[in-house]
Amino acid sequence: MRWLAQAFLAISLVEAQYASPNTTTPGNNDTNPVELNDATSPPFYPSPWMDGGGDWADAYAKAQAFVRQLTLLEKVNLTTGVGWEGEACVGNVGSVPRLGFPGLCMQDSPLGIRFADYVSAFPAGGTIAASWDRGEFYKRGFQMGVEQRGKGVDVQLGPVVGPLGRNPKGGRNWEGFSPDPILSGIAVAETVRGIQDAGVIACTKHYILNEQEHFRSPGDFGDVGFVDAISSNVDDKTLHELYLWPFADAVRAGTGSIMCSYNKINNSQGCQNSYLQNYILKGELGFQGFIMSDWDAQHSGAASTFAGLDMTMPGDTDFDSGMSFWGPNLTLSVINGTVPGWRLDDMVTRIMAAYYFVGRDRNAVPVNFNSWSLDTYGYQHAFAQVGYGLINQHVDVRHEHFRSIRLAAAKSTVLLKNSGVLPLTGREKFTAVFGDDSTENAYGPNGCADHGCDNGTLAMGWGSGTAFYPYLITPLEAIKNEVVSNAGVIQSVVDNWAYSQIEALAKQASVALVFVNADSGEGYITVDGNMGDRNNLTLWQDGETLIKNVSAVCNNTIVVIHSVGPVLVDSWYDNDNITGIIWAGLPGEQSGNSIADVLYGRVNPGGKLPFTIGTTASEYGPDLIYEPTNGSSSPQDNFEEGVFIDYRAFDKNGIDPIYEFGFGLSYTKFSYSNLKIVKVSAAPYQPTAGTTIAAPVLGNYSTDPADYQWPANLTYVNKYIYPYLNSTDLETASVDRDYGIDYEWPEGSTDGSPQPRIAAGGAPGGNPQLWDVIFTITATVTNDGDVAGEEVSQLYISLGGPDDPKVALRNFDRLSIQPGQSATFTADLTRRDVSNWDTVTQNWIITNHTKTVYVGSSSRTLPLSAKLEI
Ligand SMILES: *[C@@H]1O[C@H](CO)[C@@H](O)[C@H](O)[C@H]1NC(C)=O
Ligand SMILES: *[C@@H]1O[C@H](CO)[C@@H](O)[C@H](O)[C@H]1NC(C)=O
Ligand SMILES: *[C@@H]1O[C@H](CO)[C@@H](O)[C@H](O)[C@H]1NC(C)=O
Ligand SMILES: *[C@@H]1O[C@H](CO)[C@@H](O)[C@H](O)[C@H]1NC(C)=O
Ligand SMILES: *[C@@H]1O[C@H](CO)[C@@H](O)[C@H](O)[C@H]1NC(C)=O
Ligand SMILES: *[C@@H]1O[C@H](CO)[C@@H](O)[C@H](O)[C@H]1NC(C)=O
Ligand SMILES: *[C@@H]1O[C@H](CO)[C@@H](O)[C@H](O)[C@H]1NC(C)=O
Ligand SMILES: *[C@@H]1O[C@H](CO)[C@@H](O)[C@H](O)[C@H]1NC(C)=O
Ligand SMILES: *[C@@H]1O[C@H](CO)[C@@H](O)[C@H](O)[C@H]1NC(C)=O
Ligand SMILES: *[C@@H]1O[C@H](CO)[C@@H](O)[C@H](O)[C@H]1NC(C)=O
Ligand SMILES: *[C@@H]1O[C@H](CO)[C@@H](O)[C@H](O)[C@H]1NC(C)=O
């Protein structure tokens, strides 16, 4: 029985790859929920092999030369993690001692370095997005990369563009940039370039549609019992025009690695979804790097190998199970002929090409910290508790990054309301500060594991996407410094429920600064009943009551919001006593200094909202799924709203937001004039044609099991994953009860012959002609006020079709303009920018609908417009 059950499980994994598509991609453009429900993902095999396209030729040649020297066991070592807490980093693959190659270290997070001391805590992705500043995106990426490099990290597990932010309650949205794919795409590309220019491989994640925390993985959910992983069901057009868009930008920017996600997509598990990994990512997008699994997101051995996965993390089937879907299994499946040698060669070539692409052969330093302890001496192999010695050299990798972190957070601060009281002078007679969010966490800045609490001022969310703070400058201390240096009076009440003290202090204040917040994070930690995802969009710690209590008695109340995304402000934003509202996001270690720079006018705010602030949660579209909808089977999350998320949904449904996407005030004023459109000639679009080369075979290997046995002299580390076999009898060596069953693997999965190239593909990111500039748009932006300021000028397009957003962002630039002066906003429009995804031809096309461009200061303040003559 047990044998049968296991065989059945294995076969159904295979079948999931075979399942014949008739409801979804490719070719389906139906967003009807009945069609999306139980959507299937079509099979696509073989897994495309790397070809050195784009600017990867040099790295490809070096990688091939390296891989050619490797034995089969060494190749397997580089694909398989050594197991959870097996080595110093959150993930490590095995080494190649024979060649002195130490393996690879993968480390969180998208905003700095998790689990290490003497590191910086940068602004979160969703906060830096509000700067709309390419230079800031790049600089933050570069500085994070420099810090990772200094600790000995090979792969930084970031940046994030999945979740994109379909629903603002999604727990990890703040790790990514914005629900707008263009803003996210530009931010991710600059971040990838920054990290990799510093000599560290970026891992863009989570691929794809990982839009909520609830049910992201199969598991036991307490009283509701076992529930299989959620399936994000999406149609082809929405995939291309929205969720895939920023991944294409990351691939074009050269991201060395991409992490596949926990969830299913169209009912096929992310890390073994052949359509998304083989066809879309490695085929159409021409991705040259390697696909790494999210931690325990691999659910099969050979099936995931054929479906395009290249590296398994952290290597074990479950944390510290001592078992792996790869490791010995992969060795076995190559020597028994299931997995062709070329497929393993391609996996390792991709991994090593990323290594050479960013120059790690020239600038790697040995790992000098240990994720599992800050102690100087401890166990190298934390789970096994062996290898006692020096594990943490406490290398300070921060340089002077605090200066740019302070400025970056200030530039990302969004001024939402100003009745003329801002900037403050510092000479206010009596300053009062309110809110738990203004002050220290009593447990210390790193006092809650993975920041899983909402105590004290909020400067990052919780979960694996965090870093240790070297310190956290609180708003209260920075404001106090300011006022005291001006000989003023300042007092504070930081207990949100001390009503009588709040009233007594607020009554005396000439200005009251109220700090409130809303938090979220990764689903393995629940904070105040929020299992990663937010339960609502209101403030935490009863922030609304705090605001009401202060503004009832103080006619100069300024509210500062630290939050992971949109919060509802409708109950108080238009109160006349509330004279200022500022969204400060998750600013990182310099939080207090950054907000003081804006409040006191040293930095003129120029940030713009990277999302919409509406009146109710339901305005944002379909809710997250918080309860099982399908018994223990995968909840079916149908993305039936298509491309209409965030401002596109508000525009489509005629809902006026309170503060729209792209909105943000300044201490000066800007006006727009003189729109000009120049058509740039570009060659007609050519679909990519022809065939690929055959799969390269790099070296040969013996099929004699005797060559793969455990070395007699190896010091075995408990629960560590090695590539060796326990027996010369393959059936004994395999723990698979159903060993020897010759499954019918998906058609084409072992075929290494030349394959047709994909029309919309051709180079990293997709068909290179998609990036041909076909229009250049300019406009004059004038600073009409009397202080210098920065304005983010925004270009939107209407593609004109009945199913197109009213307007969609296409480009932007942050201009610095002196009072009374003008600057020219210049923005290119590419072929991709004016195209729609065509499900029939499986390519981008320019439709006949009239296209209009708009230029202005937000998604709803677009004073300039003109038709495009295509
Ligand atoms: C999918 O195909 C199956 C078998 O060909 C058919 O029974 C089913 O009705 C199809 N479903 C849809 C939604 O077209
Ligand atoms: C998708 O839309 C195109 C027109 O844009 C139409 O020709 C085609 O039949 C549609 N496909 C499906 C599967 O509905
Ligand atoms: C595989 O990696 C492990 C861990 O680094 C190492 O001990 C072992 O020697 C490696 N095996 C081979 C064949 O290189
Ligand atoms: C091989 O993978 C299977 C799942 O396919 C797993 O159950 C088994 O434990 C793995 N084998 C080893 C030796 O870890
Ligand atoms: C910290 O937060 C937790 C809940 O997140 C709360 O129970 C606790 O009382 C807080 N402690 C302090 C000292 O603020
Ligand atoms: C929303 O969630 C927060 C955090 O758990 C909680 O403090 C607040 O009371 C909730 N709001 C409502 C209206 O239930
Ligand atoms: C505004 O503040 C004044 C005190 O300065 C108070 O008398 C008034 O009631 C407040 N108004 C509101 C709407 O709370
Ligand atoms: C608040 O009220 C005081 C006293 O009436 C007045 O002098 C002051 O200008 C008001 N402040 C604002 C910002 O309206
Ligand atoms: C283990 O034995 C092999 C083969 O005899 C040898 O090449 C290797 O250096 C030895 N390793 C150690 C750690 O002694
Ligand atoms: C192989 O041997 C190791 C070390 O003795 C042991 O931990 C592991 O469970 C064995 N694996 C299998 C598949 O029997
Ligand atoms: C080959 O090895 C794999 C991995 O252990 C196993 O699942 C499969 O059944 C084997 N195939 C054959 C034909 O023996």
Side-chain angles (χ1 to χ4, degrees):
M1 273 315 282
R2 194 189 151 123
W3 186 93
L4 278 175
Q6 291 215 352
F8 178 74
L9 182 70
I11 287 166
S12 60
L13 283 173
V14 178
E15 281 183 338
Q17 298 303 321
Y18 268 138
S20 120
N22 54 0
T23 56
T24 52
T25 53
N28 176 47
N29 41 16
D30 201 339
T31 56
N32 179 330
V34 178
E35 297 295 325
L36 282 175
N37 218 30
D38 301 320
T40 57
S41 191
F44 186 86
Y45 299 93
S47 186
W49 36 91
M50 186 186 175
D51 64 2
D55 45 4
W56 284 76
D58 189 41
Y60 180 53
K62 286 179 182 161
Q64 286 198 323
F66 183 84
V67 176
R68 252 182 244 284
Q69 316 169 62
L70 300 181
T71 66
L72 175 56
L73 289 171
E74 290 165 344
K75 288 174 184 173
V76 169
N77 245 12
L78 292 179
T79 66
T80 304
V82 300
W84 178 243
E85 300 189 351
E87 284 287 349
C89 304
V90 297
N92 291 80
V93 291
S95 58
V96 184
R98 186 176 63 86
L99 301 176
F101 188 79
L104 296 169
C105 157
M106 337 290 152
Q107 192 68 12
D108 293 313
S109 76
L111 60 67
I113 306 179
R114 183 184 181 207
F115 294 151
D117 50 13
Y118 302 96
V119 299
S120 303
F122 290 82
T127 300
I128 199 74
S131 75
W132 298 60
D133 188 319
R134 288 171 172 80
E136 294 298 337
F137 299 154
Y138 178 86
K139 188 166 54 175
R140 172 177 171 274
F142 184 78
Q143 293 182 346
M144 292 193 300
V146 164
E147 297 199 10
Q148 297 273 6
R149 185 183 72 203
K151 290 284 185 188
V153 173
D154 294 287
V155 184
Q156 175 173 356
L157 302 174
V160 171
V161 285
L164 188 67
R166 178 192 185 213
N167 184 299
K169 294 189 210 162
R172 301 183 77 178
N173 292 356
W174 57 274
E175 294 186 43
F177 300 103
S178 164
D180 181 84
I182 280 69
L183 179 52
S184 269
I186 291 172
V188 78
E190 294 296 340
T191 306
V192 163
R193 288 190 190 103
I195 292 171
Q196 298 197 157
D197 283 354
V200 169
I201 300 167
C203 179
T204 303
K205 60 187 193 173
H206 307 83
Y207 184 74
I208 193 173
L209 303 172
N210 191 170
E211 296 290 327
Q212 67 167 64
E213 290 300 286
H214 282 75
F215 311 118
R216 66 178 187 176
S217 293
D220 214 306
F221 293 86
D223 36 341
V224 301
F226 175 86
V227 181
D228 199 357
I230 195 168
S231 179
S232 297
N233 299 334
V234 72
D235 67 279
D236 195 20
K237 183 169 150 75
T238 302
L239 179 72
H240 279 87
E241 294 185 0
L242 186 59
Y243 297 98
L244 187 65
W245 185 291
F247 280 101
D249 288 315
V251 171
R252 187 171 151 82
T255 188
S257 146
I258 286 194
M259 186 187 290
C260 53
S261 61
Y262 284 120
N263 54 291
K264 299 184 186 190
I265 303 100
N266 292 341
N267 288 297
S268 173
Q269 198 68 55
C271 292
Q272 61 188 54
N273 187 314
S274 65
Y275 179 73
L276 281 155
Q277 298 190 138
N278 287 344
Y279 181 74
I280 295 284
L281 185 52
K282 291 181 173 177
E284 185 182 318
L285 297 189
F287 175 53
Q288 299 290 306
F290 61 99
I291 302 179
M292 173 199 301
S293 73
D294 203 338
W295 269 231
D296 283 356
Q298 187 189 25
H299 296 289
S300 64
S304 59
T305 316
F306 290 133
L309 185 69
D310 302 301
M311 180 189 281
T312 175
M313 278 292 136
D316 32 28
T317 49
D318 289 305
F319 285 3
D320 301 312
S321 65
M323 306 291 249
S324 180
F325 290 111
W326 285 353
N329 265 345
L330 185 54
T331 306
L332 251 173
S333 56
V334 175
I335 64 177
N336 78 8
T338 300
V339 172
W342 63 256
R343 175 70 193 107
L344 178 60
D345 290 346
D346 182 57
M347 293 155 73
V348 189
T349 304
R350 287 171 174 276
I351 292 166
M352 292 310 298
Y355 176 90
Y356 290 112
F357 187 71
V358 305
R360 290 213 57 73
D361 52 325
R362 299 187 304 274
N363 58 32
V365 301
V367 177
N368 53 45
F369 73 105
N370 191 296
S371 297
W372 320 114
S373 170
L374 294 176
D375 295 347
T376 308
Y377 290 89
Y379 295 112
Q380 177 64 25
H381 310 293
F383 182 77
Q385 299 268 288
V386 294
Y388 191 84
L390 176 65
I391 55 166
N392 186 5
Q393 298 173 35
H394 311 286
V395 179
D396 193 330
V397 292
R398 295 171 302 153
H399 304 276
E400 298 238 322
H401 295 163
F402 73 92
R403 294 186 203 285
S404 32
I405 291 171
R406 176 175 181 165
L407 181 61
K411 288 178 80 172
S412 304
T413 301
V414 185
L415 179 61
L416 296 174
K417 178 178 182 181
N418 184 7
S419 314
V421 298
L422 288 166
L424 301 174
T425 61
R427 290 179 300 279
E428 288 72 24
K429 200 162 184 196
F430 195 128
T431 302
V433 176
F434 297 94
D436 177 64
D437 184 69
S438 71
T439 190
E440 302 271 352
N441 177 354
Y443 301 150
N446 300 314
C448 302
D450 284 330
H451 303 280
C453 65
D454 184 36
N455 300 15
T457 194
L458 183 71
M460 64 177 76
W462 76 77
S464 66
T466 55
F468 282 2
Y469 290 110
Y471 48 72
L472 174 53
I473 307 289
T474 68
L476 179 55
E477 70 185 291
I479 293 164
K480 193 178 270 181
N481 284 342
E482 198 82 34
V483 172
V484 170
S485 68
N486 283 300
V489 167
I490 175 164
Q491 291 170 28
S492 59
V493 177
V494 300
D495 178 339
N496 291 10
W497 289 272
Y499 295 158
S500 60
Q501 290 84 351
I502 289 168
E503 185 184 354
L505 180 60
K507 269 182 174 161
Q508 304 174 66
S510 31
V511 58
L513 296 161
V514 182
F515 288 84
V516 292
N517 70 31
D519 201 357
S520 75
E522 197 171 354
Y524 66 88
I525 298 174
T526 295
V527 179
D528 199 22
N530 298 263
M531 202 186 89
D533 302 315
R534 280 192 280 172
N535 292 332
N536 62 56
L537 293 182
T538 59
L539 297 170
W540 288 38
Q541 315 282 10
D542 207 10
E544 288 87 1
T545 304
L546 176 66
I547 293 169
K548 274 173 199 139
N549 286 344
V550 173
S551 61
V553 294
C554 175
N555 68 351
N556 191 13
T557 301
I558 295 168
V559 178
V560 178
I561 304 163
H562 287 123
S563 75
V564 289
V567 293
L568 302 182
V569 301
D570 57 297
S571 65
W572 51 268
Y573 79 102
D574 55 356
N575 179 327
D576 288 339
N577 283 357
I578 295 176
T579 49
I581 304 175
I582 293 174
W583 184 76
L586 304 172
E589 67 182 42
Q590 290 284 323
S591 176
N593 288 333
S594 305
I595 194 67
D597 287 345
V598 171
L599 288 169
Y600 295 97
R602 284 185 294 273
V603 172
N604 186 350
K608 304 267 187 170
L609 282 181
F611 48 71
T612 300
I613 294 185
T615 309
T616 66
S618 62
E619 291 172 345
Y620 291 88
D623 201 2
L624 301 185
I625 295 179
Y626 293 92
E627 298 293 335
T629 54
N630 219 1
S632 61
S633 307
S634 303
Q636 298 293 302
D637 195 3
N638 299 326
F639 286 34
E640 60 204 62
E641 73 288 355
V643 300
F644 297 96
I645 65 170
D646 198 73
Y647 68 95
R648 299 160 174 221
F650 282 74
D651 287 350
K652 181 181 186 194
N653 299 322
I655 301 166
D656 288 329
I658 293 179
Y659 298 116
E660 74 270 19
F661 175 83
F663 175 78
L665 300 169
S666 163
Y667 296 151
T668 184
K669 283 202 161 8
F670 300 97
S671 60
Y672 284 79
S673 60
N674 201 22
L675 180 68
K676 283 194 186 132
I677 299 178
V678 174
K679 192 166 181 175
V680 182
S681 70
Y685 186 61
Q686 297 292 333
T688 294
T691 54
T692 68
I693 55 168
V697 174
L698 304 175
N700 45 26
Y701 53 89
S702 120
T703 54
D704 181 355
D707 296 334
Y708 301 98
Q709 303 300 301
W710 286 74
N713 57 1
L714 184 114
T715 312
Y716 171 74
V717 176
N718 190 31
K719 301 294 184 193
Y720 207 86
I721 306 299
Y722 295 94
Y724 311 108
L725 306 185
N726 281 15
S727 166
T728 50
D729 175 57
L730 292 187
E731 186 158 0
T732 311
S734 170
V735 293
D736 292 357
R737 291 303 178 100
D738 52 340
Y739 184 84
I741 290 197
D742 210 356
Y743 298 120
E744 269 186 51
W745 293 102
E747 196 183 333
S749 53
T750 60
D751 181 2
S753 67
Q755 299 294 312
R757 303 181 79 196
I758 294 169
N767 191 315
Q769 282 189 294
L770 293 170
W771 277 271
D772 289 346
V773 173
I774 57 175
F775 292 100
T776 296
I777 285 116
T778 56
T780 302
V781 186
T782 305
N783 181 344
D784 298 322
D786 36 0
V787 290
E790 299 194 350
E791 166 70 345
V792 177
S793 299
Q794 301 162 38
L795 172 75
Y796 291 78
I797 195 167
S798 161
L799 292 171
D803 297 327
D804 289 320
K806 186 173 174 210
V807 294
L809 182 71
R810 281 298 183 266
N811 213 330
F812 56 85
D813 198 11
R814 183 163 172 145
L815 304 167
S816 183
I817 313 176
Q818 293 301 311
Q821 302 290 301
S822 295
T824 301
F825 167 57
T826 305
D828 288 336
L829 269 184
T830 64
R831 187 186 309 271
R832 183 172 73 145
D833 289 331
V834 299
S835 297
N836 284 92
W837 180 253
D838 180 47
T839 59
V840 177
T841 58
Q842 285 293 294
N843 213 330
W844 295 93
I845 55 156
I846 301 174
T847 67
N848 292 329
H849 301 293
T850 305
K851 312 211 182 306
T852 312
V853 289
Y854 302 86
V855 169
S857 58
S858 83
S859 63
R860 289 198 167 205
T861 306
L862 296 167
L864 309 180
S865 67
K867 305 248 177 295
L868 286 180
E869 305 294 333
I870 300 190

